[in-house]
Amino acid sequence: MSEEVVKPDPEPGFDKEMLLYDYSKHLLSLALLGLGGVLSIAQSGQGQKIPGVIIAALTVFLAISGLCALSCTASILRSRQRNVPVPRSAWLTNQGAMMFLGIGVGGFLYSWIRALM
């Protein structure tokens, strides 16, 4: 008998880069949904009470969030293709995507609720 030790492959849930990749895809979807929602609600009667400058700024924040999430997924794919570690910039752009998504959605909800009152 041989004394070979067989190690099982790690579970996919333990791969930090794949979790970051999936989470970035999720943030990209949320940014696109938020962008569509903001633009749709802004065209309604109550949404037209919100100044256009605020709507424009919030859509820019949501677009930046989507770009950050897309950049994060692209850098993970690039590093996997080249077989190098995922750069720190991927983690930073993911945090940027979360931040801009929060600013965009939170700012719109604040403005919309204020316009309703």
Side-chain angles (χ1 to χ4, degrees):
M1 293 187 140
S2 69
E3 297 293 323
E4 260 184 72
V5 177
V6 177
K7 294 182 182 177
D9 290 335
E11 291 183 32
F14 292 126
D15 190 1
K16 292 186 288 188
E17 286 83 13
M18 288 309 295
L19 286 175
L20 180 66
Y21 177 77
D22 288 340
Y23 189 60
S24 294
K25 288 191 312 183
H26 179 69
L27 285 176
L28 178 59
S29 298
L30 287 177
L32 290 173
L33 284 172
L35 192 60
V38 165
L39 293 175
S40 295
I41 293 174
Q43 293 177 357
S44 70
Q46 296 150 346
Q48 289 181 356
K49 295 177 185 176
I50 303 171
V53 175
I54 293 176
I55 295 293
L58 296 175
T59 56
V60 166
F61 284 132
L62 289 170
I64 291 172
S65 172
L67 288 174
C68 286
L70 189 61
S71 173
C72 179
T73 58
S75 65
I76 293 170
L77 289 173
R78 204 175 309 116
S79 67
R80 286 287 173 117
Q81 185 181 29
R82 295 177 183 160
N83 207 13
V84 296
V86 174
R88 180 168 162 75
S89 63
W91 299 92
L92 294 175
T93 54
N94 184 45
Q95 290 175 352
M98 288 188 290
M99 179 184 70
F100 286 116
L101 182 65
I103 291 171
V105 172
F108 178 74
L109 287 175
Y110 174 77
S111 301
W112 190 40
I113 291 171
R114 244 180 119 198
L116 290 176
M117 293 183 162

mmCIF file of all heavy atoms in Angstrom, residues 42-79:
data_model
loop_
_atom_site.group_PDB
_atom_site.id
_atom_site.type_symbol
_atom_site.label_atom_id
_atom_site.label_comp_id
_atom_site.label_asym_id
_atom_site.label_seq_id
_atom_site.Cartn_x
_atom_site.Cartn_y
_atom_site.Cartn_z
ATOM 1 N N ALA A 42 -38.337 58.673 -11.069
ATOM 2 C CA ALA A 42 -38.118 60.100 -11.305
ATOM 3 C C ALA A 42 -39.055 60.638 -12.390
ATOM 4 O O ALA A 42 -39.337 61.834 -12.417
ATOM 5 C CB ALA A 42 -36.669 60.350 -11.696
ATOM 6 N N GLN A 43 -39.555 59.784 -13.262
ATOM 7 C CA GLN A 43 -40.459 60.227 -14.317
ATOM 8 C C GLN A 43 -41.910 60.267 -13.861
ATOM 9 O O GLN A 43 -42.761 60.789 -14.574
ATOM 10 C CB GLN A 43 -40.324 59.321 -15.536
ATOM 11 C CG GLN A 43 -38.987 59.452 -16.214
ATOM 12 C CD GLN A 43 -38.846 58.501 -17.378
ATOM 13 O OE1 GLN A 43 -39.727 57.698 -17.654
ATOM 14 N NE2 GLN A 43 -37.735 58.594 -18.071
ATOM 15 N N SER A 44 -42.185 59.720 -12.669
ATOM 16 C CA SER A 44 -43.565 59.750 -12.168
ATOM 17 C C SER A 44 -43.901 61.155 -11.668
ATOM 18 O O SER A 44 -43.037 62.013 -11.544
ATOM 19 C CB SER A 44 -43.736 58.729 -11.039
ATOM 20 O OG SER A 44 -43.030 59.143 -9.890
ATOM 21 N N GLY A 45 -45.150 61.370 -11.355
ATOM 22 C CA GLY A 45 -45.588 62.686 -10.889
ATOM 23 C C GLY A 45 -44.909 63.107 -9.598
ATOM 24 O O GLY A 45 -44.481 64.253 -9.449
ATOM 25 N N GLN A 46 -44.807 62.182 -8.645
ATOM 26 C CA GLN A 46 -44.154 62.514 -7.386
ATOM 27 C C GLN A 46 -42.651 62.640 -7.551
ATOM 28 O O GLN A 46 -42.006 63.435 -6.892
ATOM 29 C CB GLN A 46 -44.480 61.447 -6.349
ATOM 30 C CG GLN A 46 -45.939 61.388 -6.013
ATOM 31 C CD GLN A 46 -46.372 59.989 -5.623
ATOM 32 O OE1 GLN A 46 -45.652 59.031 -5.854
ATOM 33 N NE2 GLN A 46 -47.555 59.885 -5.047
ATOM 34 N N GLY A 47 -42.081 61.837 -8.454
ATOM 35 C CA GLY A 47 -40.643 61.898 -8.692
ATOM 36 C C GLY A 47 -40.209 63.172 -9.382
ATOM 37 O O GLY A 47 -39.061 63.599 -9.255
ATOM 38 N N GLN A 48 -41.124 63.821 -10.090
ATOM 39 C CA GLN A 48 -40.767 65.065 -10.778
ATOM 40 C C GLN A 48 -40.641 66.234 -9.824
ATOM 41 O O GLN A 48 -40.162 67.293 -10.208
ATOM 42 C CB GLN A 48 -41.784 65.359 -11.874
ATOM 43 C CG GLN A 48 -41.659 64.403 -13.036
ATOM 44 C CD GLN A 48 -42.634 64.696 -14.148
ATOM 45 O OE1 GLN A 48 -43.481 65.581 -14.042
ATOM 46 N NE2 GLN A 48 -42.522 63.950 -15.241
ATOM 47 N N LYS A 49 -41.047 66.033 -8.579
ATOM 48 C CA LYS A 49 -40.856 67.075 -7.571
ATOM 49 C C LYS A 49 -39.406 67.152 -7.109
ATOM 50 O O LYS A 49 -38.998 68.141 -6.525
ATOM 51 C CB LYS A 49 -41.759 66.811 -6.366
ATOM 52 C CG LYS A 49 -43.234 66.899 -6.675
ATOM 53 C CD LYS A 49 -44.062 66.555 -5.453
ATOM 54 C CE LYS A 49 -45.539 66.522 -5.787
ATOM 55 N NZ LYS A 49 -46.344 66.097 -4.619
ATOM 56 N N ILE A 50 -38.630 66.105 -7.366
ATOM 57 C CA ILE A 50 -37.213 66.096 -6.997
ATOM 58 C C ILE A 50 -36.450 66.877 -8.056
ATOM 59 O O ILE A 50 -36.639 66.647 -9.255
ATOM 60 C CB ILE A 50 -36.683 64.653 -6.906
ATOM 61 C CG1 ILE A 50 -37.512 63.832 -5.912
ATOM 62 C CG2 ILE A 50 -35.219 64.628 -6.493
ATOM 63 C CD1 ILE A 50 -37.207 62.350 -5.924
ATOM 64 N N PRO A 51 -35.582 67.797 -7.658
ATOM 65 C CA PRO A 51 -34.808 68.567 -8.647
ATOM 66 C C PRO A 51 -33.969 67.667 -9.554
ATOM 67 O O PRO A 51 -33.430 66.644 -9.116
ATOM 68 C CB PRO A 51 -33.916 69.463 -7.783
ATOM 69 C CG PRO A 51 -34.589 69.524 -6.457
ATOM 70 C CD PRO A 51 -35.318 68.235 -6.295
ATOM 71 N N GLY A 52 -33.870 68.068 -10.797
ATOM 72 C CA GLY A 52 -33.123 67.290 -11.785
ATOM 73 C C GLY A 52 -31.653 67.127 -11.463
ATOM 74 O O GLY A 52 -31.043 66.110 -11.800
ATOM 75 N N VAL A 53 -31.077 68.126 -10.797
ATOM 76 C CA VAL A 53 -29.649 68.047 -10.438
ATOM 77 C C VAL A 53 -29.418 66.902 -9.447
ATOM 78 O O VAL A 53 -28.427 66.165 -9.549
ATOM 79 C CB VAL A 53 -29.171 69.395 -9.843
ATOM 80 C CG1 VAL A 53 -27.759 69.310 -9.351
ATOM 81 C CG2 VAL A 53 -29.327 70.502 -10.866
ATOM 82 N N ILE A 54 -30.344 66.739 -8.516
ATOM 83 C CA ILE A 54 -30.213 65.665 -7.527
ATOM 84 C C ILE A 54 -30.365 64.307 -8.203
ATOM 85 O O ILE A 54 -29.599 63.380 -7.935
ATOM 86 C CB ILE A 54 -31.237 65.851 -6.386
ATOM 87 C CG1 ILE A 54 -30.880 67.099 -5.595
ATOM 88 C CG2 ILE A 54 -31.298 64.627 -5.491
ATOM 89 C CD1 ILE A 54 -31.862 67.456 -4.507
ATOM 90 N N ILE A 55 -31.335 64.194 -9.096
ATOM 91 C CA ILE A 55 -31.527 62.936 -9.830
ATOM 92 C C ILE A 55 -30.280 62.618 -10.651
ATOM 93 O O ILE A 55 -29.816 61.472 -10.680
ATOM 94 C CB ILE A 55 -32.775 63.011 -10.742
ATOM 95 C CG1 ILE A 55 -34.040 63.154 -9.913
ATOM 96 C CG2 ILE A 55 -32.872 61.792 -11.650
ATOM 97 C CD1 ILE A 55 -34.390 61.954 -9.066
ATOM 98 N N ALA A 56 -29.719 63.618 -11.303
ATOM 99 C CA ALA A 56 -28.515 63.403 -12.109
ATOM 100 C C ALA A 56 -27.347 62.950 -11.240
ATOM 101 O O ALA A 56 -26.612 62.019 -11.607
ATOM 102 C CB ALA A 56 -28.157 64.676 -12.866
ATOM 103 N N ALA A 57 -27.169 63.587 -10.085
ATOM 104 C CA ALA A 57 -26.067 63.210 -9.200
ATOM 105 C C ALA A 57 -26.236 61.786 -8.684
ATOM 106 O O ALA A 57 -25.266 61.013 -8.631
ATOM 107 C CB ALA A 57 -25.981 64.191 -8.031
ATOM 108 N N LEU A 58 -27.456 61.421 -8.338
ATOM 109 C CA LEU A 58 -27.692 60.075 -7.813
ATOM 110 C C LEU A 58 -27.523 59.009 -8.884
ATOM 111 O O LEU A 58 -27.032 57.914 -8.601
ATOM 112 C CB LEU A 58 -29.072 60.007 -7.168
ATOM 113 C CG LEU A 58 -29.251 60.900 -5.937
ATOM 114 C CD1 LEU A 58 -30.687 60.857 -5.447
ATOM 115 C CD2 LEU A 58 -28.290 60.513 -4.833
ATOM 116 N N THR A 59 -27.913 59.316 -10.115
ATOM 117 C CA THR A 59 -27.689 58.338 -11.186
ATOM 118 C C THR A 59 -26.203 58.183 -11.477
ATOM 119 O O THR A 59 -25.754 57.087 -11.813
ATOM 120 C CB THR A 59 -28.443 58.729 -12.472
ATOM 121 O OG1 THR A 59 -28.069 60.032 -12.865
ATOM 122 C CG2 THR A 59 -29.935 58.645 -12.282
ATOM 123 N N VAL A 60 -25.443 59.255 -11.320
ATOM 124 C CA VAL A 60 -23.988 59.153 -11.489
ATOM 125 C C VAL A 60 -23.396 58.256 -10.403
ATOM 126 O O VAL A 60 -22.536 57.407 -10.682
ATOM 127 C CB VAL A 60 -23.330 60.557 -11.487
ATOM 128 C CG1 VAL A 60 -21.827 60.465 -11.323
ATOM 129 C CG2 VAL A 60 -23.681 61.301 -12.756
ATOM 130 N N PHE A 61 -23.858 58.413 -9.154
ATOM 131 C CA PHE A 61 -23.373 57.545 -8.076
ATOM 132 C C PHE A 61 -23.692 56.082 -8.355
ATOM 133 O O PHE A 61 -22.854 55.198 -8.137
ATOM 134 C CB PHE A 61 -23.963 57.957 -6.728
ATOM 135 C CG PHE A 61 -23.344 59.185 -6.138
ATOM 136 C CD1 PHE A 61 -24.148 60.204 -5.657
ATOM 137 C CD2 PHE A 61 -21.975 59.334 -6.044
ATOM 138 C CE1 PHE A 61 -23.598 61.338 -5.109
ATOM 139 C CE2 PHE A 61 -21.411 60.464 -5.511
ATOM 140 C CZ PHE A 61 -22.219 61.478 -5.029
ATOM 141 N N LEU A 62 -24.893 55.805 -8.845
ATOM 142 C CA LEU A 62 -25.263 54.422 -9.152
ATOM 143 C C LEU A 62 -24.465 53.881 -10.337
ATOM 144 O O LEU A 62 -24.087 52.705 -10.346
ATOM 145 C CB LEU A 62 -26.767 54.331 -9.413
ATOM 146 C CG LEU A 62 -27.642 54.514 -8.181
ATOM 147 C CD1 LEU A 62 -29.102 54.647 -8.580
ATOM 148 C CD2 LEU A 62 -27.457 53.373 -7.214
ATOM 149 N N ALA A 63 -24.194 54.721 -11.317
ATOM 150 C CA ALA A 63 -23.379 54.289 -12.455
ATOM 151 C C ALA A 63 -21.948 53.999 -12.020
ATOM 152 O O ALA A 63 -21.342 53.019 -12.466
ATOM 153 C CB ALA A 63 -23.403 55.348 -13.547
ATOM 154 N N ILE A 64 -21.403 54.818 -11.132
ATOM 155 C CA ILE A 64 -20.055 54.574 -10.617
ATOM 156 C C ILE A 64 -20.023 53.270 -9.829
ATOM 157 O O ILE A 64 -19.061 52.500 -9.915
ATOM 158 C CB ILE A 64 -19.569 55.763 -9.765
ATOM 159 C CG1 ILE A 64 -19.327 56.979 -10.648
ATOM 160 C CG2 ILE A 64 -18.298 55.413 -9.008
ATOM 161 C CD1 ILE A 64 -19.037 58.253 -9.881
ATOM 162 N N SER A 65 -21.084 52.996 -9.081
ATOM 163 C CA SER A 65 -21.174 51.739 -8.346
ATOM 164 C C SER A 65 -21.114 50.545 -9.298
ATOM 165 O O SER A 65 -20.388 49.581 -9.051
ATOM 166 C CB SER A 65 -22.467 51.695 -7.537
ATOM 167 O OG SER A 65 -22.662 50.425 -6.967
ATOM 168 N N GLY A 66 -21.871 50.616 -10.377
ATOM 169 C CA GLY A 66 -21.840 49.542 -11.363
ATOM 170 C C GLY A 66 -20.483 49.384 -12.018
ATOM 171 O O GLY A 66 -20.010 48.266 -12.234
ATOM 172 N N LEU A 67 -19.836 50.499 -12.311
ATOM 173 C CA LEU A 67 -18.496 50.426 -12.914
ATOM 174 C C LEU A 67 -17.478 49.837 -11.948
ATOM 175 O O LEU A 67 -16.597 49.069 -12.357
ATOM 176 C CB LEU A 67 -18.052 51.813 -13.377
ATOM 177 C CG LEU A 67 -18.773 52.351 -14.605
ATOM 178 C CD1 LEU A 67 -18.347 53.799 -14.883
ATOM 179 C CD2 LEU A 67 -18.484 51.482 -15.808
ATOM 180 N N CYS A 68 -17.577 50.182 -10.676
ATOM 181 C CA CYS A 68 -16.672 49.608 -9.677
ATOM 182 C C CYS A 68 -16.876 48.101 -9.560
ATOM 183 O O CYS A 68 -15.905 47.331 -9.500
ATOM 184 C CB CYS A 68 -16.880 50.263 -8.316
ATOM 185 S SG CYS A 68 -16.230 51.926 -8.165
ATOM 186 N N ALA A 69 -18.131 47.663 -9.537
ATOM 187 C CA ALA A 69 -18.415 46.233 -9.441
ATOM 188 C C ALA A 69 -17.920 45.496 -10.684
ATOM 189 O O ALA A 69 -17.342 44.410 -10.585
ATOM 190 C CB ALA A 69 -19.902 46.007 -9.242
ATOM 191 N N LEU A 70 -18.122 46.092 -11.849
ATOM 192 C CA LEU A 70 -17.647 45.481 -13.088
ATOM 193 C C LEU A 70 -16.123 45.425 -13.123
ATOM 194 O O LEU A 70 -15.531 44.435 -13.567
ATOM 195 C CB LEU A 70 -18.185 46.262 -14.285
ATOM 196 C CG LEU A 70 -17.976 45.650 -15.651
ATOM 197 C CD1 LEU A 70 -18.677 44.308 -15.741
ATOM 198 C CD2 LEU A 70 -18.500 46.579 -16.717
ATOM 199 N N SER A 71 -15.469 46.467 -12.625
ATOM 200 C CA SER A 71 -14.009 46.480 -12.564
ATOM 201 C C SER A 71 -13.483 45.396 -11.629
ATOM 202 O O SER A 71 -12.467 44.761 -11.908
ATOM 203 C CB SER A 71 -13.534 47.862 -12.109
ATOM 204 O OG SER A 71 -12.157 47.860 -11.900
ATOM 205 N N CYS A 72 -14.189 45.187 -10.526
ATOM 206 C CA CYS A 72 -13.782 44.151 -9.579
ATOM 207 C C CYS A 72 -13.870 42.765 -10.223
ATOM 208 O O CYS A 72 -12.925 41.976 -10.120
ATOM 209 C CB CYS A 72 -14.647 44.222 -8.328
ATOM 210 S SG CYS A 72 -14.258 42.972 -7.093
ATOM 211 N N THR A 73 -14.976 42.474 -10.883
ATOM 212 C CA THR A 73 -15.109 41.166 -11.523
ATOM 213 C C THR A 73 -14.075 40.979 -12.628
ATOM 214 O O THR A 73 -13.525 39.897 -12.788
ATOM 215 C CB THR A 73 -16.520 40.964 -12.099
ATOM 216 O OG1 THR A 73 -16.810 41.994 -13.023
ATOM 217 C CG2 THR A 73 -17.560 40.936 -11.008
ATOM 218 N N ALA A 74 -13.797 42.044 -13.361
ATOM 219 C CA ALA A 74 -12.812 41.947 -14.441
ATOM 220 C C ALA A 74 -11.412 41.683 -13.892
ATOM 221 O O ALA A 74 -10.657 40.877 -14.456
ATOM 222 C CB ALA A 74 -12.812 43.223 -15.273
ATOM 223 N N SER A 75 -11.058 42.319 -12.779
ATOM 224 C CA SER A 75 -9.718 42.090 -12.231
ATOM 225 C C SER A 75 -9.592 40.684 -11.649
ATOM 226 O O SER A 75 -8.513 40.075 -11.728
ATOM 227 C CB SER A 75 -9.375 43.144 -11.185
ATOM 228 O OG SER A 75 -10.222 43.038 -10.073
ATOM 229 N N ILE A 76 -10.672 40.136 -11.104
ATOM 230 C CA ILE A 76 -10.623 38.757 -10.618
ATOM 231 C C ILE A 76 -10.463 37.788 -11.783
ATOM 232 O O ILE A 76 -9.641 36.867 -11.732
ATOM 233 C CB ILE A 76 -11.881 38.428 -9.797
ATOM 234 C CG1 ILE A 76 -11.884 39.239 -8.506
ATOM 235 C CG2 ILE A 76 -11.961 36.943 -9.482
ATOM 236 C CD1 ILE A 76 -13.180 39.179 -7.744
ATOM 237 N N LEU A 77 -11.223 38.000 -12.850
ATOM 238 C CA LEU A 77 -11.090 37.138 -14.024
ATOM 239 C C LEU A 77 -9.699 37.230 -14.634
ATOM 240 O O LEU A 77 -9.111 36.224 -15.036
ATOM 241 C CB LEU A 77 -12.150 37.497 -15.059
ATOM 242 C CG LEU A 77 -13.581 37.121 -14.717
ATOM 243 C CD1 LEU A 77 -14.540 37.677 -15.750
ATOM 244 C CD2 LEU A 77 -13.726 35.625 -14.616
ATOM 245 N N ARG A 78 -9.169 38.442 -14.694
ATOM 246 C CA ARG A 78 -7.831 38.645 -15.252
ATOM 247 C C ARG A 78 -6.770 37.924 -14.421
ATOM 248 O O ARG A 78 -5.868 37.275 -14.960
ATOM 249 C CB ARG A 78 -7.531 40.144 -15.316
ATOM 250 C CG ARG A 78 -6.507 40.528 -16.334
ATOM 251 C CD ARG A 78 -6.339 42.047 -16.451
ATOM 252 N NE ARG A 78 -7.609 42.754 -16.638
ATOM 253 C CZ ARG A 78 -8.123 43.626 -15.770
ATOM 254 N NH1 ARG A 78 -7.507 43.914 -14.649
ATOM 255 N NH2 ARG A 78 -9.270 44.222 -16.019
ATOM 256 N N SER A 79 -6.891 38.005 -13.101
ATOM 257 C CA SER A 79 -5.892 37.353 -12.248
ATOM 258 C C SER A 79 -6.017 35.833 -12.315
ATOM 259 O O SER A 79 -5.014 35.130 -12.275
ATOM 260 C CB SER A 79 -6.017 37.839 -10.810
ATOM 261 O OG SER A 79 -7.221 37.406 -10.232
#
